[in-house]
Amino acid sequence: MSAGPSGGLSRRGLLTGAAGTVAGAGLAGVLPAAYAASPSAASPPYATGPGVPPGTPPVLVTEQASKRLLVLDPRRRVWDPAAEPAVVRWQFSPLGDPRYRDLRPEASWVYPCEAKVRVHRKRTLVLTTASFGFVAAVEYPNGRRYWGAALGPGDDLFNPHSAEILPDGNVAVACSSGALVRLYAASLGPDATRYAEDRLKGAHGLHWDRARRVLWALGDDDLVAYAVGGTSARPTLTRTSVTPLPVAVPGRTAGGHDLFPVAGRPGRLWVTTNAAVFQYDQRHGTFVRDYPGHELIDRASVKAVGNDPRTGQVLSTVPEKGLEETWWTTKVGVHRPTGTYTLVNGGIYKARWWLPR
């Protein structure tokens, strides 16, 4: 199972009969399927406690051990929801939620692997995917479904690995095992199925570039820019540029993984590969390592990376040895200044600062 949720190795036989089981006893059953800690959770409070820089935002994680998305209190370096439920500011799982029943979450929501927060027409949405087929745009904080789909639920033949919402309300999905990028006409409604498609080997990351009005997509070997045409009801995707990723070992695939905007620095994108953490300078079309803190941030197997422009902090996740799955971690690394968040009994894949944009 070394391929993890980003690989093409089928796990149907392994997980048959277990897809609805919640692992991680320390988190299981702590909260209902869609939960906010208090009425103020619609705008989670920012950290002011000792040991954490003032203004530190909450942390959004894909927590695979309990099959949930969690927004966690940044004032606590150790998160233990079983002992201290208030550390969870908000959480989401489609399991048992009738609004997502048609997406078969008991089969499709097995390894939640993406979560990013966006603002669309004054609504805060969390874009999420899971390796066994689930993809959705979820309204925050009520958990309502803006749009959702299940791509081959019950197996990782598609492996939705990232999603992004466009200004017209349509939703793009990157499927790593399926080697494709799809743009769904989600503006038509919560169960819209029409899409445009392009092939991209190992599609892992997506980002809508407001300034350049292109959809960036990250694959195993390339960073691709797409022009979006057609109409909202019938969109099209056209490649406008393809930039090869840096390769650490000649003859090997670069293994593009995470793609995220560099907050506060327009024209730059975070790009992680199997071997390194880069920033892509769009103006010059180059991958650089000239960012502050690169000595500690730039390392192999980084699953997620992002910065907070107000405090200068960068967070990232890398797999931790000795856990149930080889791609899990209980820790979210923080840089500038250096620190660590730990989720007791966790199985984190990605972490993001809660910065609606």
Side-chain angles (χ1 to χ4, degrees), residues 122-215:
K122 299 183 179 181
R123 285 188 289 183
T124 300
L125 301 175
V126 177
L127 280 295
T128 187
T129 65
S131 294
F132 274 43
F134 187 96
V135 56
V138 177
E139 290 190 25
Y140 174 89
N142 54 46
R144 280 196 298 258
R145 173 176 164 181
Y146 169 79
W147 173 82
L151 284 64
D155 212 324
D156 56 0
L157 297 177
F158 286 93
N159 198 350
H161 212 80
S162 188
E164 181 64 288
I165 190 165
L166 276 60
D168 63 1
N170 287 345
V171 174
V173 183
C175 299
S176 59
S177 300
L180 56 84
V181 173
R182 283 184 177 176
L183 178 57
Y184 281 88
S187 56
L188 297 178
D191 56 357
T193 58
R194 185 180 297 157
Y195 60 83
E197 181 179 290
D198 187 54
R199 304 293 297 178
L200 179 60
K201 178 188 172 187
H204 262 70
L206 291 169
H207 169 62
W208 172 254
D209 189 327
R210 295 177 182 174
R212 290 167 174 77
R213 297 192 63 78
V214 298
L215 178 67

Side-chain angles (χ1 to χ4, degrees), residues 89-113:
R89 297 293 181 183
W90 179 80
Q91 71 93 40
F92 169 79
S93 169
L95 293 171
D97 189 328
R99 298 171 293 188
Y100 297 91
R101 183 182 297 119
D102 61 308
L103 304 187
R104 295 179 54 200
E106 71 284 353
S108 62
W109 181 258
V110 176
Y111 292 116
C113 57

Side-chain angles (χ1 to χ4, degrees), residues 261-269 279-282 288 290-292 307 309:
V262 179
R265 193 161 185 184
R268 288 232 176 168
L269 300 171
Q279 287 186 357
Y280 179 68
D281 184 331
Q282 298 178 38
V288 299
D290 62 357
Y291 51 87
N307 66 299

